[in-house]
Amino acid sequence: MKNALVPSRTGSWYEATARERISGLLDAGTFHEFLGPTARAVSPHLALFDLPEAFDDGIIVGRGKLQGRAVLVAAQEGRFMGGTFGEVHGAKLVGLLRYARDHHAEATSPRAVLLLLDTGGVRLQEANVGELAVSEIIRALVEARAAGVAVIALVGGRAGAFGGGGILAACCSRVVISEQGRTSVSGPEVIETNMGAEEFDSLDRPLVWRTTGGKTRRLLGGAGAYAADRIESFRAAALALLDGGIPAFDLATLAREQARLAERLEKFGACQDAPEIWQRMRLADAARIADLADEDFNQIAQAQPEANHDAR
Amino acid sequence: MSEWQSQRLARQARLEAGAILAVGGGKLVAAGDATALLEAVLRPGDRVCLEGDNQKQADFLAAALVKADRARLHDLHIVQSGVTLPEHLDLFAKGIATRLDFSYSGPQSGAIARALNSGKIQLGAIHTYLELFARYFIDLTPHAALIAAVSADRAGNLYTGPNTEDTPTIVEATAFKNGIVVAQVNQVVDRVPRVDIPGDRVDFVIAAPKPFFVEPLFTRDPAQITDTQILIAMLALKGIYAEYGVQRLNHGIGFGTAAIELLLPTFGEALGLKGKVATHWALNPHPTLIPAIESGWVQQIHCFGSEVGMDEYLRARPDIFFTGNDGSLRSNRAFCQTAGLYACDMFIGSTLQIDLAGNSSTVTPTRIPGFGGAPNMGSDAHGRRHASAAWLKAGREASDGPAAMTRGRKLVVQLLETFGEGMTPTFVEELASVEFAKKMRLEVVPVMIYGDDVTHVVTEEGIANLLLCRTPAEREQAIRGVAGFTAVGRARDRAQVAKLRARGIIRRPEDLGINPLDANRQLLAARSVKDLVQWSGGLYAPPGKFRNW
């Protein structure tokens, strides 16, 4: 029996490097990098640990065009030190977000920042400066949003968006996530180490995914769009979000978000595992969510009130 | 009473001691009486096979035996292929068992080395599977076999399910030599789906509270295959599979061979090799072979055991796999090992360490994982008498004598990256197992595959064809020539290596028309476990630890 699957499916977001993601995401040839590898802005700390540096410190920042509109982009390289926030890594992102904050008024200014998160959180070797960097990024992100810039997180890499990356995703105007993508603050291993395997078994990968994974985040409204694991799918989802309008970052939006989270806690707070939530939501395929194909899942998610809201 | 009957009388006495615990005079014994049953039917000093291999485990019976009273059961001689559960080591720590003959230790490879060091274990020998099975019938015949099956009926007929593995061999050796056979089963049923072990070979049956453990040992996540492994796989496909026309083969379990499996429908297809190579296999049901099977590359596979999550796929592909009338896979380790030894033209697998003579080993100074089946798969069977094109070509390359009297050779191919985990060089002047053997006072150095059986060494630097070498010095330079930037590689004689390359003994990627920059993950027919599920039409159900959804 022949299988219809094409052997080589090009353009997987999960498989791609940060640079491949950027070049597939933006209009061809439009990307201009700030402080690229030739500038050799490397971590001042890794050498102390006899660890290799990267010339871009694991993050690429710059500007380009998305379907003709000017955007700023930052992409973390999950394969370098788990995409972690070090001092230089963080400073590049802070600079990008401040640029967005300060240069959005002119007609040709970028009005959106795309954050291609792929990170395990703060780089342990740069602990304090890394934590500081995350705080500065959050401040810069919030200031950019307050200035009217849309900040969209795209999550679907190997490292997910954990630690500070999980907080950043939650601060964004919108989040696009794929099935492979995960967002959370404490990662599975961290929870297991602190609370025991009975609390959270990090080796139980279906449990990890149905707790932190893209489908769960989408259904609970943590992500506003679900993309198939293809670069073109992330591109289409980001465009659709920008076209669909970005909620204003004001008191009314924050109050709506507060109300939404309070309601969510009330409805689902007692649930022990994600499938219980799907049952309470009365989803048709509650037991099979993890196995649903992307298109089928998207239909369910789009019809789900909890998953679609203007609060952020 | 004749003294010729002593074993049979002893068996009778053991059966009577055990029968007291059986429910209603039958064969069924309650799970809570498991330890009491073992204390009743075993005797100090017995040779016991506590069924366990690299996959399935009679784990409930192992735990029951550990709980035995040492005053009643001690100095057992454990004779089993796999020592892989903590309970297996506990038997020795408690003194219930003292002697050991085994094949494979896998996850217990560190613990077993420590126990050997501390004198808790008196080691007979480390065997290959076939060797240990052979000794079951000669001088290591078990007095008792404690085995695992999926289900049993009240007469003791057993259904072992897809993971039949060692059970028929163990039972054959025990039941027909006055031994006692105790089976743990997942459930007792009125009628078993098929009879894998006839009931008159089984003395006692215990329904265990939990299904027996099976390790998914042969699942390789395509997401972890590297570009370097893909390059090595391309070299092997073009430089060995294609050139020798290898149709009957066995693959090892590493990522190198997983890469080859996933390149068959892409790179292999482009080379026009479909139907010409890799059609008949002695192989566990590797999930990474699914795309090749679905693309029509594979005609037939016989399996040592099954693989967790593959059962429904196997049931749906009876043209390819051996299945019973009930539809499920029938595996058999002893037969499959024999098939790999005598009916396959090639073994290809990864190794961790290789020396200048081509000897390889997986032993490190603190770990002794044992042998399993690789030495049998990876050796030339001198008893082979039937010819095949691949076998003859290999034999003639190795000989300058008259063609008519030249025997063929099995292709034994070792895949290595020049540097392994933590950038440790895989090419070494002396195997770590040499030092290990000294420390453990072993009579023979543990060698997985002896250099004189190895025909090709493949690294990202190229292929060394050892068949074409005529002297030990040439072999050494051929091996150094593909050892890259390791100390062994840097110590090569450049002029000699250039000569070997001119003679086609060393072939670089460019000599084979392969550009290393083309070796990337886009070539894999599946790049994730989920892709494998899709290829299988949803029939493959991977265990949780291999899912990322």
Side-chain angles (χ1 to χ4, degrees):
Chain A
M1 194 196 289
K2 282 278 187 173
N3 193 300
L5 189 79
V6 181
S8 176
R9 298 185 314 172
T10 53
S12 158
W13 184 275
Y14 185 81
E15 293 261 329
T17 63
R19 288 181 188 280
E20 286 166 347
R21 285 175 194 153
I22 288 179
S23 86
L25 184 69
L26 299 182
D27 301 348
T30 63
F31 182 64
H32 173 79
E33 186 170 358
F34 303 149
L35 207 61
T38 51
R40 302 209 172 176
V42 300
S43 162
H45 307 281
L46 292 177
L48 300 173
F49 299 93
D50 205 18
L51 287 168
E53 299 146 349
F55 292 150
D56 56 16
D57 205 32
I59 189 167
I60 300 143
V61 295
R63 64 176 150 80
K65 296 235 164 108
L66 185 69
Q67 198 88 313
R69 69 178 83 193
V71 292
L72 295 170
V73 185
Q76 294 178 303
E77 178 49 72
R79 298 185 208 188
F80 175 70
M81 307 283 303
T84 45
F85 294 97
E87 187 173 11
V88 171
H89 183 113
K92 285 171 78 173
L93 187 48
V94 170
L96 186 81
L97 289 163
R98 287 183 182 162
Y99 180 90
R101 177 193 67 188
D102 299 339
H103 298 85
H104 64 280
E106 306 92 57
T108 55
S109 299
R111 305 276 301 169
V113 182
L114 306 176
L115 296 186
L116 284 55
L117 299 177
D118 194 355
T119 181
V122 166
R123 192 178 295 163
L124 295 178
Q125 293 82 357
E126 307 188 24
N128 293 348
V129 288
E131 296 284 2
L132 277 173
V134 170
S135 306
E136 288 175 356
I137 295 165
I138 292 171
R139 174 183 288 271
L141 195 162
V142 168
E143 286 173 352
R145 278 190 69 190
V149 176
V151 185
I152 298 182
L154 286 73
V155 184
R158 274 165 205 268
F162 285 96
I167 300 172
L168 282 184
C171 291
C172 286
S173 318
R174 294 291 195 199
V175 177
V176 182
I177 199 163
S178 63
E179 179 173 62
Q180 288 80 0
R182 292 169 296 155
T183 66
S184 190
V185 178
S186 296
E189 289 84 4
V190 176
I191 303 174
E192 183 183 300
T193 305
N194 287 295
M195 306 296 288
E198 300 75 23
E199 177 68 22
F200 199 73
D201 181 354
S202 68
L203 293 179
D204 184 346
R205 288 170 52 167
L207 171 70
V208 169
W209 254 269
R210 67 179 182 260
T211 306
T212 67
K215 282 180 169 167
T216 293
R217 293 306 184 205
R218 175 72 186 103
L219 284 175
L220 281 173
Y226 175 87
D229 178 39
R230 290 192 303 276
I231 296 177
E232 65 197 13
S233 176
F234 273 88
R235 176 181 159 95
L239 273 169
L241 285 178
L242 287 173
D243 288 341
I246 297 296
F249 188 63
D250 57 15
L251 192 58
T253 298
L254 288 180
R256 278 205 305 281
E257 176 73 343
Q258 176 68 21
R260 180 181 79 87
L261 293 174
E263 189 192 350
R264 190 173 93 182
L265 190 63
E266 191 186 328
K267 273 164 107 172
F268 309 123
C271 294
Q272 293 291 312
D273 202 344
E276 288 179 43
I277 300 178
W278 315 150
Q279 273 159 18
R280 289 199 188 184
M281 283 183 171
R282 301 183 190 286
L283 297 185
D285 278 309
R288 289 186 52 246
I289 291 292
D291 295 319
L292 288 180
D294 292 327
E295 305 77 45
D296 301 337
F297 174 78
N298 242 334
Q299 279 189 5
I300 289 178
Q302 275 154 13
Q304 197 52 38
E306 274 87 357
N308 301 286
H309 56 81
D310 244 0
R312 276 310 299 186
Chain B
M1 187 181 79
S2 158
E3 61 187 280
W4 299 112
Q5 306 278 332
S6 62
Q7 285 185 2
R8 189 169 290 170
L9 292 172
R11 171 178 149 81
Q12 218 44 53
R14 291 164 181 242
L15 279 179
E16 281 161 23
I20 298 164
L21 292 159
V23 180
K27 294 185 173 181
L28 301 185
V29 173
D33 289 332
T35 301
L37 175 73
L38 298 180
E39 287 173 344
V41 302
L42 298 182
R43 300 288 177 267
D46 270 359
R47 277 185 302 271
V48 175
C49 173
L50 180 46
E51 185 176 23
D53 48 54
N54 54 5
Q55 295 176 274
K56 80 165 172 180
Q57 302 295 335
D59 50 356
F60 174 75
L61 292 176
L65 187 57
V66 169
K67 286 188 216 126
D69 180 357
R70 196 185 170 273
R72 295 189 62 180
L73 284 187
H74 50 85
D75 295 301
L76 298 181
H77 179 179
I78 300 294
V79 288
Q80 69 195 42
S81 52
V83 180
T84 54
L85 298 177
E87 286 84 356
H88 295 149
L89 275 300
D90 292 347
L91 288 174
F92 292 91
K94 283 189 68 179
I96 293 171
T98 48
R99 285 183 59 76
L100 175 66
D101 280 273
F102 77 111
S103 294
Y104 171 84
S105 64
Q108 300 301 328
S109 58
I112 211 164
R114 288 192 294 277
L116 283 171
N117 236 349
S118 68
K120 289 275 188 199
I121 295 180
Q122 298 164 32
L123 183 65
I126 310 167
H127 305 74
T128 70
Y129 288 137
L130 266 186
E131 257 184 306
L132 186 64
F133 297 156
R135 291 191 68 190
Y136 282 164
F137 295 94
I138 301 297
D139 64 341
L140 289 180
T141 307
H143 295 101
L146 315 181
I147 61 172
V150 173
S151 58
D153 64 17
R154 281 163 184 79
N157 293 304
L158 301 183
Y159 168 58
T160 52
N163 290 87
T164 298
E165 304 181 7
D166 303 16
T167 317
T169 313
I170 297 166
V171 171
E172 179 89 12
T174 310
F176 292 101
K177 199 62 179 69
N178 303 303
I180 301 283
V181 175
V182 180
Q184 75 168 69
V185 298
N186 299 350
Q187 55 175 336
V188 175
V189 295
D190 290 333
R191 193 184 154 84
V192 287
R194 72 170 188 235
V195 177
D196 286 303
I197 304 292
D200 69 348
R201 298 174 198 175
V202 178
D203 300 306
F204 297 101
V205 172
I206 301 176
K210 281 202 300 189
F212 61 82
F213 177 74
V214 186
E215 171 76 22
L217 191 69
F218 301 95
T219 301
R220 292 290 168 266
D221 185 345
Q224 293 185 38
I225 294 174
T226 64
D227 292 349
T228 307
Q229 288 159 346
I230 291 167
L231 173 60
I232 294 172
M234 291 166 77
L235 294 172
L237 271 171
K238 198 163 181 189
I240 299 173
Y241 289 67
E243 300 232 342
Y244 293 86
V246 182
Q247 293 183 322
R248 302 179 286 166
L249 73 166
N250 167 254
H251 269 191
I253 66 172
F255 282 99
T257 39
I260 292 173
E261 289 155 20
L262 291 170
L263 286 185
L264 290 174
T266 57
F267 184 67
E269 189 94 31
L271 293 176
L273 295 177
K274 185 167 157 185
K276 295 180 186 152
V277 306
T279 51
H280 294 75
W281 299 70
L283 193 78
N284 277 300
H286 290 186
T288 39
L289 196 60
I290 291 172
I293 295 171
E294 295 302 301
S295 309
W297 278 70
V298 176
Q299 290 183 32
Q300 182 160 311
I301 302 173
H302 187 254
C303 300
F304 308 93
S306 187
E307 181 65 358
V308 180
M310 286 288 281
D311 292 346
E312 289 313 304
Y313 179 74
L314 304 174
R315 186 185 284 276
R317 299 289 181 271
D319 283 356
I320 306 293
F321 293 96
F322 286 72
T323 54
N325 285 331
D326 65 308
S328 68
L329 180 82
R330 163 78 177 199
S331 59
N332 187 310
R333 193 171 318 280
F335 286 148
C336 197
Q337 287 284 333
T338 310
L341 185 56
Y342 283 100
C344 287
D345 289 330
M346 179 167 80
F347 163 79
I348 179 164
S350 308
T351 188
L352 297 182
Q353 219 179 43
I354 195 163
D355 71 11
L356 300 178
N359 299 305
S360 67
S361 165
T362 54
V363 171
T364 67
T366 56
R367 292 186 170 275
I368 180 146
F371 296 124
N376 290 131
M377 301 291 103
S379 64
D380 192 33
H382 284 203
R384 176 170 169 175
R385 290 295 178 271
H386 73 281
S388 70
W391 184 76
L392 281 177
K393 178 173 162 67
R396 286 174 184 163
E397 282 185 356
S399 165
D400 298 319
M405 284 301 281
T406 299
R407 71 158 92 206
R409 275 283 294 266
K410 184 179 202 174
L411 293 162
V412 176
V413 182
Q414 298 268 265
L415 305 176
L416 300 93
E417 293 173 68
T418 53
F419 289 90
E421 220 169 288
M423 288 305 279
T424 46
T426 51
F427 287 82
V428 293
E429 301 270 342
E430 185 183 273
L431 295 176
S433 60
V434 174
E435 180 64 28
F436 182 87
K438 253 184 242 160
K439 203 170 88 185
M440 295 292 173
R441 292 186 291 279
L442 301 179
E443 289 167 293
V444 287
V445 172
V447 171
M448 187 63 91
I449 295 178
Y450 283 108
D452 57 3
D453 274 322
V454 175
T455 61
H456 297 77
V457 178
V458 188
T459 74
E460 71 273 21
E461 299 285 330
I463 301 177
N465 180 342
L466 305 185
L467 290 166
L468 295 172
C469 297
R470 287 296 176 264
T471 65
E474 280 184 6
R475 284 173 69 89
E476 181 184 324
Q477 288 304 326
I479 289 171
R480 288 188 189 274
V482 293
F485 292 92
T486 60
V488 165
R490 281 181 283 130
R492 68 187 177 274
D493 179 332
R494 288 178 164 276
Q496 278 299 319
V497 166
K499 274 189 203 158
L500 293 176
R501 189 173 171 195
R503 282 166 59 194
I505 291 175
I506 289 177
R507 291 204 288 174
R508 304 290 179 207
E510 58 266 37
D511 301 340
L512 287 159
I514 290 172
N515 181 351
L517 293 178
D518 291 339
N520 68 66
R521 291 177 43 79
Q522 304 284 335
L523 283 179
L524 297 176
R527 295 196 298 244
S528 67
V529 170
K530 188 147 204 184
D531 285 350
L532 295 174
V533 174
Q534 280 179 283
W535 271 105
S536 77
L539 291 166
Y540 171 45
K545 70 188 231 191
F546 291 106
R547 289 175 52 145
N548 56 356
W549 66 92

